[in-house]
Amino acid sequence: MIDITLDMEQYDCPFIDASDECAASFSASQWEFDRRTDCLETRMIAEGADRDALDNALEVLRTHPHLHEYELLSRRGAAAHIRTTIDETAAMHTIRESGGYVTGPFHIEDGSELWHVGFDREDGANGTLSRLERDNEFDVVSRRSVELADLRGFVRNATAAMTLIEGCRDLSPTERRTLEVAVNEGYFESPRGATLGTLAERFDVSKPAVSKTLRRGQSKTISRITEALEALE
């Protein structure tokens, strides 16, 4: 399998137009292509720089000529979960007709879209990229050949990966930021590049307070790492 990540600018994609006109981004949580109608149904997480930016982006979507269906599933502040059905884009058609397939979620921001696509053979990947160049602007962010052993490992280790992701989500904003700063400034290195005192000054709290935050964050992440290791075994 040839796995390629593309940074794509499409001229007929509602999400790209909305992200280009407004300070908003879109990330796919689910997608399904209907071959009977040549339409793509997606569930997207839409995020705006603020509430007004999100309102503007969703309005661009609702009125876009290539959008068929729109449903607001939920919303909180400057983030929303939406369901849409859009026309097949020209780039999507080229990839599908050439035997390519989507291997990961879309992410759209600032007028471009990050695609993860796969091909079974090198010649199929090369031919598709050549055809895409005729009508699209894109950069190949990464390209690699994935062997069967790698695919098996990815599938088998998906549970472990999700466990680690959930561990990150368990962290409060304060715990996450404290751990990030502690790692970046060398608190866990030997010799230490930072101390409890310097971290306390950075966050304008007492040393016992920053120590407690670090212990909570470490406890949450280490317990998830242990669960992930058990899943790998």
Side-chain angles (χ1 to χ4, degrees), residues 145-217:
S145 179
V146 182
E147 302 299 331
L148 178 59
D150 297 325
L151 289 173
R152 291 177 64 213
F154 175 79
V155 173
R156 290 182 173 181
N157 298 333
T159 300
M162 286 305 301
T163 298
L164 293 176
I165 291 173
E166 289 300 324
C168 294
R169 290 174 176 167
D170 287 343
L171 295 171
S172 70
T174 300
E175 291 164 352
R176 182 171 64 249
R177 181 59 181 154
T178 303
L179 283 174
E180 288 174 349
V181 171
V183 170
N184 292 336
E185 297 192 2
Y187 176 78
F188 297 104
E189 296 176 4
S190 181
R192 284 180 169 171
T195 65
L196 283 177
T198 58
L199 292 177
E201 291 178 5
R202 174 71 177 269
F203 293 102
D204 194 23
V205 297
S206 66
K207 287 195 289 186
V210 77
S211 176
K212 184 176 180 180
T213 301
L214 279 174
R215 287 199 306 272
R216 283 200 310 265

Side-chain angles (χ1 to χ4, degrees), residues 2-3 8 13-14 32 35 41 46 51 75 77-78 94 101 110 140 154 164 172 179 184 193 206 208 212 225 228:
I2 313 304
D3 187 65
M8 174 78 69
C13 176
E32 181 177 354
R35 293 180 178 272
E41 178 183 296
R51 294 180 64 95
R75 174 168 178 167
T94 298
Y101 41 87
D110 295 330
V140 177
F154 175 79
L164 293 176
S172 70
L179 283 174
N184 292 336
S206 66
K212 184 176 180 180
I225 290 173

Side-chain angles (χ1 to χ4, degrees), residues 67-196:
L67 186 132
H68 293 289
E69 296 180 10
Y70 169 89
E71 180 183 1
L72 178 63
L73 301 174
S74 62
R75 174 168 178 167
R76 176 173 293 181
H81 192 200
I82 60 176
R83 184 187 68 81
T84 64
T85 302
I86 68 171
D87 284 329
E88 178 183 39
T89 64
M92 189 186 305
H93 177 78
T94 298
I95 290 173
R96 283 201 320 104
E97 290 299 303
S98 303
Y101 41 87
V102 176
T103 60
F106 309 102
H107 179 74
I108 303 140
E109 191 170 5
D110 295 330
S112 68
E113 181 172 7
L114 204 61
W115 273 19
H116 305 281
V117 295
F119 300 88
D120 293 329
R121 296 177 178 81
E122 284 279 358
D123 55 352
N126 293 336
T128 302
L129 292 179
S130 295
R131 285 187 287 276
L132 283 174
E133 286 180 340
R134 299 171 190 169
D135 302 306
N136 300 274
E137 296 289 337
F138 68 90
D139 293 316
V140 177
V141 178
S142 66
R143 174 173 177 159
R144 65 191 183 103
S145 179
V146 182
E147 302 299 331
L148 178 59
D150 297 325
L151 289 173
R152 291 177 64 213
F154 175 79
V155 173
R156 290 182 173 181
N157 298 333
T159 300
M162 286 305 301
T163 298
L164 293 176
I165 291 173
E166 289 300 324
C168 294
R169 290 174 176 167
D170 287 343
L171 295 171
S172 70
T174 300
E175 291 164 352
R176 182 171 64 249
R177 181 59 181 154
T178 303
L179 283 174
E180 288 174 349
V181 171
V183 170
N184 292 336
E185 297 192 2
Y187 176 78
F188 297 104
E189 296 176 4
S190 181
R192 284 180 169 171
T195 65
L196 283 177

